[in-house]
Amino acid sequence: MIGKMLGGGVILSLLFVAFGSSAVYSIDLQRLYDMQKTKREGENCHPYQPFKCPHPEGKGKCISIQYLCDGAPDCPDGYDEDTRLCTAAKRPPVEETASFLQSLLASHGPNYLEKLFGSKARNALAPLGGVDKVAIALSESPTLEDFGAALHLLRNDLDHLRSVFVAVENGDLGMLKALGIKDSEIGDVRFFLERLVNTGFLD
């Protein structure tokens, strides 16, 4: 995620949300925070092995970025192969997703995203846990079904969201227009949704 794919950005993008929200999400962001804190205290990893495996005493093994999500666990607990971490590495950065969602709400009002996520998306996504929680779920949920489970979406809302993604995948911009998305926003919304589709969100 910040080096656009795996770079050191997986850590930084997830930390961005961890600092400002409660640690209730399925990926253990606190472990990443502890790792970064240890690095600031002087026990830095070598630049060629910048990823430090989380360790309660700050003595985590340092590994190369190329060994993250390569199918072979290198951290003692296999954290470098965590499904959610590896999914997040392929997705747009969490802070980019949160910023995009926030900009739509700021431009169109707190209930605008109800058009995508259903009735639980009213009041600036508060019933779903807020913008940050939705951004994290979009980043780390391997599939749409996982996303729905993480946010406890109703089946009809999940089916609606799937139809939106399928329309985007098939190039049916009429579906987005029917939801009330303006012509000036179609390109941005489509680009955002396509990035999720291209990383297996509909699989």
Side-chain angles (χ1 to χ4, degrees), residues 101 105 110-131 133-134 137 146-161:
L101 296 176
L105 294 172
N111 300 326
Y112 183 72
L113 290 172
E114 184 177 5
K115 297 173 182 181
L116 289 178
F117 302 118
S119 59
K120 290 180 75 175
R122 297 185 65 79
N123 192 23
L125 303 177
L128 295 176
V131 170
K133 184 171 181 181
V134 172
D146 297 316
F147 174 74
L151 296 181
H152 309 292
L153 291 180
L154 301 174
R155 173 47 58 184
N156 61 327
D157 289 336
L158 193 60
D159 289 342
H160 167 72
L161 186 58

Side-chain angles (χ1 to χ4, degrees), residues 14-75:
L14 293 174
L15 285 175
F16 173 86
V17 179
F19 290 142
S21 56
S22 59
V24 296
Y25 309 124
S26 55
I27 196 166
D28 193 347
L29 298 176
Q30 186 62 45
R31 295 172 73 196
L32 289 170
Y33 171 76
D34 291 341
M35 176 185 66
Q36 289 299 103
K37 181 179 176 187
T38 298
K39 290 174 80 170
R40 285 195 299 271
E41 291 171 352
E43 296 182 28
N44 293 331
C45 290
H46 190 279
Y48 294 123
Q49 295 179 319
F51 185 88
K52 183 171 246 179
C53 299
H55 188 279
E57 297 174 11
K59 299 176 182 178
K61 175 182 176 183
C62 295
I63 63 173
S64 171
I65 292 296
Q66 73 186 36
Y67 296 136
L68 289 177
C69 307
D70 65 350
D74 296 285
C75 291

Side-chain angles (χ1 to χ4, degrees), residues 161-184:
L161 186 58
R162 179 179 297 282
S163 68
V164 172
F165 274 99
V166 168
V168 168
E169 185 178 36
N170 295 331
D172 179 11
L173 302 186
M175 175 70 164
L176 296 180
K177 291 180 180 180
L179 292 174
I181 296 173
K182 297 178 181 177
D183 288 342
S184 59

